[in-house]
Amino acid sequence: MMADMGVIGLGVMGAALARNLIDHDTKIIGFEPVGDTTALKRAGDIPMADSLGEMLHDLSRPRVILMMVTAGAPVDAMINQIQPQLAPGDIIIDGGNSHFLDSQRRAENLSIGGLLFMGLGVSGGEAGARFGPAMMAGGAAEAVQLIQSLLLPIAAKSADGSPCFDHFGPAPAGHFVKMLHNAIEYGEMQLLAEIYGLAKYAGGQGNGDIADLFAGWSTATYGGYLVDVSAGVLRQADDQTDRDLIDQIAPIAGQKGTGRWAITAALDLGQAVPSLAAAVFARSLTARAGSQTLPGPVGLADPLTPEQLYGAFALAKLATYEQGFQVLNAAAESYDWPLDLPAVARVWRAGCILRGPLLETLARRVKNGVTQIFDASDFKDLSHLRRLLASASASGISVPVLAASLSYVEGLSSDRPTAQLIQGQRDAFGAHGFERRDQAGVFHGQWSPIEGA
Ligand code: 6PG
């Protein structure tokens, strides 16, 4: 019998997705391009072809090929190898974390030969891929129609039973949505790290206390998977010493690029994403941490209560998500994608790293074309976030995403603007012009000569 889908790349994610597909009665044939013995062992029970040609031969038409290879050059290399052996109507799905512009280029190139290309963002790590990932698809409607009967059954299901799979527009749109998922992921992870730092260094709390704090938020609106992961990491014992593992992990954060790509895309789209950017910068800065000796930190005489910490986290987390949705909204408008923002929130409700109760709220709150997701009631936590920033400054704890989120929220306020000075400066030295509050039009000041340097 012919196979329904070929899976190229049986690494951690590829093998887990293949098994998930097999569990849902999809006939799979795998191929491991680098002949990696670990991957082949991992493939185990997955039927494997010895060559690309054999895999392609064993696939029913049109052939559906899921590539789970490392993003970047390996994807192009594999496409170049496979393309001459495919026929019009065959579909290549890239399920890696590819850059959305690469997906656009690949789709355009492949379409010349009548091949269909789909960029598929897959979230949830190995467990998600194995038992239910969230999937963000981009590609021609024709290709999505053909493969969704294979992907819908393996997707995570939200509480209302709907599968966490959706189609967000042409080929680059799926990877674009996944890129913003990751940027928000970076933001939330950094927020949790900052609260850990504040509780540990200024509050004098132990790992177990901080784990309890996070565990207490687990099912609250702003809890969710990353909060649970953080509690679990803080409770883990080291298997080589008698210490907690967290205290043995070198404090240098890694990153593979999706967060950084999201910031670049946001800048290109003219969007303000201070919290998302601060999270990327914070990771980069960890490479230089320890290069200076500073006084402090100072323990706080009056540490924040768990309620204050939760309130501050809640507002900062919402600010981070709002920035992500702003970028998605701007991309939909600027690239003319039919990218449905409420559908993004729905897809993120289960399976992915961002999953948690907040996504249920956002699925109801997010609107297409509406540029903010705050509700007036969210600002009840503003006093907690302000208080947290004051405490962090007083005790010398670096909290870049909490700070950026507070400044973002304060920047949305209309009653304490400062851009009038920017406009005055621009006009005073460069005659750039400004608008007035009391009259329409563009004006110039009759600036007195600037004295001094
Ligand atoms: C997921 C994750 C995953 C992602 C890394 C980010 O949704 O399953 O977002 O796909 O690539 O978590 O990795 P770095 O922190 O190494 O950049």
Side-chain angles (χ1 to χ4, degrees):
M1 206 167 74
M2 306 297 270
D4 307 311
M5 187 188 275
V7 179
I8 300 182
L10 280 300
V12 174
M13 293 294 282
L17 275 178
R19 293 208 169 87
N20 191 351
L21 284 154
I22 291 169
D23 283 353
H24 290 86
D25 301 325
T26 295
K27 219 171 164 297
I28 291 295
I29 176 127
F31 174 67
E32 182 48 52
V34 285
D36 169 352
T37 47
T38 321
L40 288 172
K41 249 187 241 154
R42 203 179 289 119
D45 49 317
I46 302 166
M48 297 288 288
D50 289 330
S51 67
L52 204 48
E54 184 190 332
M55 185 195 84
L56 294 175
H57 176 267
D58 287 357
L59 285 172
S60 58
R61 310 288 177 114
R63 286 171 286 203
V64 178
I65 296 141
L66 173 62
M67 290 199 321
M68 296 301 298
V69 303
T70 311
V75 176
D76 285 316
M78 184 44 64
I79 290 178
N80 289 342
Q81 217 180 320
I82 200 171
Q83 185 177 3
Q85 304 181 57
L86 296 179
D90 287 345
I91 303 168
I92 296 178
I93 306 167
D94 174 13
N97 271 324
S98 290
H99 194 289
F100 73 104
L101 292 177
D102 284 338
S103 300
Q104 181 167 341
R105 169 178 56 77
R106 289 165 185 151
E108 284 167 6
N109 290 345
L110 289 167
S111 72
I112 297 166
L115 300 176
L116 297 166
F117 177 85
M118 176 181 290
L120 184 71
V122 178
S123 178
E126 184 181 9
R130 178 68 185 87
F131 300 109
M135 288 177 284
M136 295 142 253
E142 190 186 345
V144 178
Q145 287 259 296
L146 278 166
I147 56 96
Q148 70 180 9
S149 60
L150 303 179
L151 296 183
L152 281 173
I154 66 161
K157 307 282 176 295
S158 62
D160 67 7
S162 31
C164 294
F165 169 92
D166 217 326
H167 176 212
F168 293 109
H175 280 137
F176 194 94
V177 173
K178 177 63 182 8
M179 180 177 75
L180 266 299
H181 166 283
N182 284 19
I184 297 171
E185 172 188 306
Y186 277 40
E188 184 170 351
M189 289 167 73
Q190 177 66 25
L191 280 174
L192 289 160
E194 292 171 13
I195 288 172
Y196 156 74
L198 201 63
K200 178 180 168 81
Y201 301 112
Q205 294 190 47
N207 298 326
D209 301 324
I210 306 169
D212 289 346
L213 175 77
F214 289 158
W217 300 352
S218 178
T219 55
T221 304
Y222 289 89
Y225 181 65
L226 284 171
V227 172
D228 294 345
V229 166
S230 306
V233 168
L234 286 163
R235 286 196 210 285
Q236 186 70 41
D238 181 23
D239 59 6
Q240 297 183 34
T241 67
D242 57 1
R243 306 194 59 170
D244 292 340
L245 179 57
I246 181 91
D247 295 327
Q248 302 302 102
I249 298 178
I252 301 168
Q255 54 182 315
K256 294 194 203 71
T258 46
R260 179 166 43 82
W261 298 343
I263 307 316
T264 309
L267 290 173
D268 288 344
L269 289 162
Q271 297 305 303
V273 290
S275 307
L276 304 183
V280 176
F281 296 155
R283 286 199 189 187
S284 301
L285 192 60
T286 61
R288 292 176 50 208
S291 60
Q292 298 294 330
T293 305
L294 301 175
V298 180
L300 285 176
D302 182 18
L304 277 84
T305 64
E307 292 69 31
Q308 288 171 322
L309 286 172
Y310 178 73
F313 172 68
L315 186 54
K317 176 167 167 174
L318 191 57
T320 304
Y321 277 65
E322 178 175 294
Q323 292 164 38
F325 276 97
Q326 290 274 350
V327 180
L328 292 171
N329 186 55
E333 283 177 6
S334 176
Y335 305 138
D336 200 19
W337 291 339
L339 200 169
D340 186 52
L341 300 188
V344 172
R346 287 198 295 273
V347 164
W348 290 350
R349 284 180 299 175
C352 70
I353 305 296
L354 296 185
R355 66 185 183 263
L358 178 61
L359 271 309
E360 288 288 351
T361 307
L362 294 183
R364 291 190 299 274
R365 231 191 241 190
V366 169
K367 303 272 179 288
N368 285 319
V370 176
T371 56
Q372 62 88 26
I373 59 177
F374 285 113
D375 185 280
S377 65
D378 299 320
F379 300 120
K380 67 181 184 320
D381 290 321
L382 190 53
S383 59
H384 299 321
L385 189 51
R386 287 174 176 160
R387 165 78 210 283
L388 184 151
L389 260 295
S391 299
S393 303
S395 53
I397 309 297
S398 171
V399 288
V401 178
L402 286 157
S405 299
L406 177 61
S407 292
Y408 176 81
V409 173
E410 306 281 16
L412 296 175
S413 157
S414 56
D415 56 358
R416 293 182 296 278
T418 55
Q420 56 272 45
L421 180 57
I422 304 292
Q423 289 298 78
Q425 291 163 341
R426 292 176 71 241
D427 193 56
F429 68 69
H432 294 291
F434 54 83
E435 292 180 29
R436 295 182 60 99
R437 293 170 186 256
D438 54 355
Q439 294 169 53
V442 176
F443 296 85
H444 292 284
Q446 302 304 311
W447 305 106
S448 308
I450 310 291
E451 308 220 344

